[in-house]
């Protein structure tokens, strides 16, 4: 018997921001910075692909109608300059029996041109 009590239990109540190991609760349950950044980039990339794919298709078909087996499309925006986005687009092309290659175009201050990327798309009976 302690101080008139049969026993005593000391309970430390944690704030809603603290876990048993002392770490911050919100950081345990929130999305990581890497996951957030990936989700944001994937969303932007998907939007870009959805708006660009019809242009790519039209360019390919118009070029094929001229009797050619390749075309080159220049992209000045930043999304297709990223290697992850390039890989996604190359996979799409492959599923369509096409082959693609990207060529970076450096910024040229003398000519006042911004950095860009050229996508050359190829098609042939061998790819079907």
């Amino acid at each position: 018997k302690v101080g008139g009590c049969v026993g005593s239990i000391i309970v430390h109540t944690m704030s809603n921001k603290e876990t048993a190991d002392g770490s911050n609760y919100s950081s345990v349950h929130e999305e990581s910075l890497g996951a957030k950044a990936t989700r944001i980039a994937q969303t932007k990339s998907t939007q870009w692909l959805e708006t660009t794919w019809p242009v790519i298709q039209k360019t390919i078909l118009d070029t094929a109608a001229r009797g050619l087996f390749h075309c080159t499309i220049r992209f000045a925006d930043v999304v297709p300059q990223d290697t992850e986005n390039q890989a996604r687009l190359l996979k799409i092309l492959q599923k369509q029996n096409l082959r693609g290659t990207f060529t970076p175009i450096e910024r040229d201050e003398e000519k006042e041109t911004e950095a860009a990327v050229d996508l050359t798309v190829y098609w042939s009976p061998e790819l079907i």
Side-chain angles (χ1 to χ4, degrees):
K1 206 171 178 180
V2 179
C5 298
V6 176
S8 66
I9 300 174
I10 300 172
V11 178
H12 171 70
T13 57
M14 297 179 287
S15 72
N16 63 355
K17 294 283 188 182
E18 187 180 324
T19 61
D21 66 359
S23 63
N24 187 311
Y25 176 82
S26 62
S27 67
V28 171
H29 295 290
E30 284 184 8
E31 188 177 30
S32 71
L33 180 58
K36 282 181 186 178
T38 298
R39 181 179 41 78
I40 291 167
Q42 285 176 329
T43 299
K44 182 67 174 178
S45 174
T46 299
Q47 290 170 347
W48 178 83
L49 281 169
E50 287 173 354
T51 58
T52 305
W53 183 243
V55 175
I56 294 169
Q57 288 176 310
K58 182 173 179 2
T59 303
I60 290 169
L61 295 176
D62 288 352
T63 305
R66 294 175 37 218
L68 302 175
F69 289 89
H70 76 281
C71 67
T72 300
I73 306 166
R74 179 162 292 176
F75 299 106
D77 45 335
V78 70
V79 174
Q81 294 180 40
D82 184 84
T83 56
E84 282 292 319
N85 294 323
Q86 290 175 7
R88 287 180 73 189
L89 185 51
L90 292 176
K91 285 179 186 176
I92 293 170
L93 292 173
Q94 186 178 23
K95 289 178 183 177
Q96 295 293 320
N97 296 322
L98 301 165
R99 184 172 51 92
T101 58
F102 283 94
T103 306
I105 308 298
E106 299 296 321
R107 180 175 185 219
D108 188 339
E109 290 184 33
E110 196 173 290
K111 294 181 183 177
E112 296 181 7
T113 59
E114 293 297 318
V117 65
D118 280 350
L119 168 63
T120 303
V121 182
Y122 305 89
W123 52 93
S124 69
E126 293 83 28
L127 293 174
I128 299 174

